[in-house]
Amino acid sequence: MTPTTTAAFDESALVEKARAGDAQAFTELVNHYERKIYRLAKHITQNDEDAEDVLQEAFLKAYEHLDGFKGDSKFYTWIVRIAVNEALMKLRKRKGDRTVSLDEPIETGEETVQREIAVWEDNPEQRYSRTEIQQILDEAVEGLKPDFRTVFMLRDIEELSTEETAEALGISIPAVKSRLLRARLALREKLTRQFRRKGEDVFAHL
Amino acid sequence: MLTCKQFLQELNDYLDPSTDPATKCHLEQHVNECPNCFIVVDTTKKTLQIYKGLEPQTIPESVKARLWKALEKKMAARKAQA
């Protein structure tokens, strides 16, 4: 995703200043990342109140522990990790620990769902309003299991690497890979139901 | 040739620009010969594109206001300490 940057945004310089006690620099970091962190929190917790708590906790903790930030990863990756931890704690609290453990192996048995094979209508982005698209995409993500949607959010939306995602979630690299695959396929499936070209043989273009 | 199931297991490698050309070429063969997987590849790419193209929405004003209030409080406390 293209960051919503102003040309002047220099993360490491701001972090440096913030660590030296410059509150204004920290304010700029918050301004820059608050929307992404809120979106991440909302997608993981699926609850407005929890998302707000996560947003606050993440930035408050980051501010508090700036000294502990070593600068060997990006500040953004660091704050994402804090937010993910907070969000997963909320999720566990709300749903009871058992259902959302991210360490449990994922079932890899045969897929029973019928795979949806259909070409899409042209440019769905232009056929629906921004709000409609947003809603379709959000609902699709929300329909994923927490394990899958968290990995999808980190890898494909926040664009963390496989290794960073594994580290943030405390799971193995193969687990990140297999969850990402399943998340992508499931989303493709859901969006295809929404955006499939209507009223013609699906193979007509071939 | 790969079966569809085998190909789908490797779909992420196929979509990953950093995958080595030989692996990619091997996977490509399947896509060229299998209309179903061709569509799956195409619509998976589109799925990722549409998600990546979406900017995060703005935060509700009230949520934002409470975030800043909490931060200002923390910053003021830090200042008082120093």
Side-chain angles (χ1 to χ4, degrees), chain A:
Chain A
M1 174 158 306
T2 26
T4 48
T5 22
T6 50
F9 184 79
D10 179 347
E11 188 190 88
S12 52
L14 286 172
V15 172
E16 219 28 69
K17 283 189 198 165
R19 289 183 64 179
D22 182 342
Q24 179 58 32
F26 190 76
T27 301
E28 278 183 51
L29 288 167
V30 176
N31 268 330
H32 192 74
Y33 291 127
E34 59 181 6
R35 290 192 302 160
K36 292 180 114 190
I37 297 298
Y38 186 66
R39 174 178 61 181
L40 179 66
K42 217 171 148 180
H43 275 302
I44 297 178
T45 64
Q46 304 199 329
N47 175 290
D48 287 351
E49 207 181 301
D50 285 348
E52 175 168 354
D53 284 350
V54 169
L55 176 76
Q56 283 193 15
E57 282 303 313
F59 283 116
L60 289 175
K61 280 200 173 159
Y63 186 71
E64 223 170 294
H65 299 290
L66 262 182
D67 287 342
F69 173 66
K70 295 279 180 273
D72 47 7
S73 63
K74 275 173 28 191
F75 175 79
Y76 178 59
T77 315
W78 186 62
I79 185 90
V80 161
R81 211 148 59 196
I82 299 175
V84 167
N85 280 334
E86 292 293 324
L88 291 178
M89 269 190 315
K90 290 274 176 202
L91 202 59
R92 291 194 177 112
K93 230 180 245 172
R94 199 168 279 274
K95 298 205 172 154
D97 216 353
R98 290 293 304 153
T99 53
V100 288
S101 166
L102 282 158
D103 309 320
E104 274 172 35
I106 297 287
E107 224 192 288
T108 48
E110 275 312 296
E111 297 254 345
T112 47
V113 274
Q114 182 72 43
R115 214 168 274 297
E116 196 81 39
I117 309 284
V119 288
W120 287 11
E121 54 189 318
D122 293 329
N123 305 316
E125 298 97 318
Q126 284 156 32
R127 285 164 168 254
Y128 294 83
S129 74
R130 212 197 110 98
T131 327
E132 282 167 329
I133 289 277
Q134 181 86 53
Q135 201 181 345
I136 290 168
L137 298 190
D138 284 353
E139 275 173 16
V141 169
E142 280 162 22
L144 297 176
K145 285 191 196 160
D147 294 345
F148 297 151
R149 68 171 187 263
T150 306
V151 169
F152 174 75
M153 287 303 293
L154 293 185
R155 284 285 287 114
D156 280 335
I157 306 296
E158 305 306 334
E159 303 194 316
L160 266 58
S161 69
T162 303
E163 291 74 16
E164 286 167 340
T165 304
E167 202 190 321
L169 298 177
I171 59 178
S172 69
I173 285 173
V176 171
K177 287 186 175 171
S178 80
R179 284 169 208 197
L180 182 64
L181 177 63
R182 291 172 61 105
R184 284 174 167 183
L185 287 174
L187 290 173
R188 187 205 71 86
E189 204 90 18
K190 286 166 200 270
L191 294 194
T192 297
R193 272 178 229 133
Q194 207 53 245
F195 297 140
R196 65 186 304 153
R197 196 179 292 171
K198 283 139 196 125
E200 60 181 277
D201 176 4
V202 293
F203 293 125
H205 73 294
L206 290 169

Side-chain angles (χ1 to χ4, degrees), chain B residues 7-73:
Chain B
F7 172 77
L8 287 177
Q9 289 295 329
E10 309 301 323
L11 177 65
N12 281 351
D13 280 345
Y14 182 69
L15 296 176
D16 183 350
S18 69
T19 299
D20 67 281
T23 308
K24 214 159 200 165
C25 190
H26 179 60
L27 295 169
E28 182 94 25
Q29 259 179 355
H30 180 86
V31 184
N32 287 338
E33 286 165 30
C34 174
N36 282 357
C37 287
F38 177 85
I39 293 179
V40 171
V41 165
D42 180 59
T43 48
T44 304
K45 279 186 189 161
K46 285 178 176 158
T47 298
L48 295 179
Q49 257 166 29
I50 199 166
Y51 271 104
K52 285 171 193 276
L54 211 67
E55 286 294 332
Q57 286 174 309
T58 49
I59 301 179
E61 281 305 319
S62 55
V63 172
K64 206 166 167 161
R66 286 191 292 269
L67 168 67
W68 284 108
K69 210 172 154 194
L71 276 170
E72 274 160 19
K73 204 171 144 195

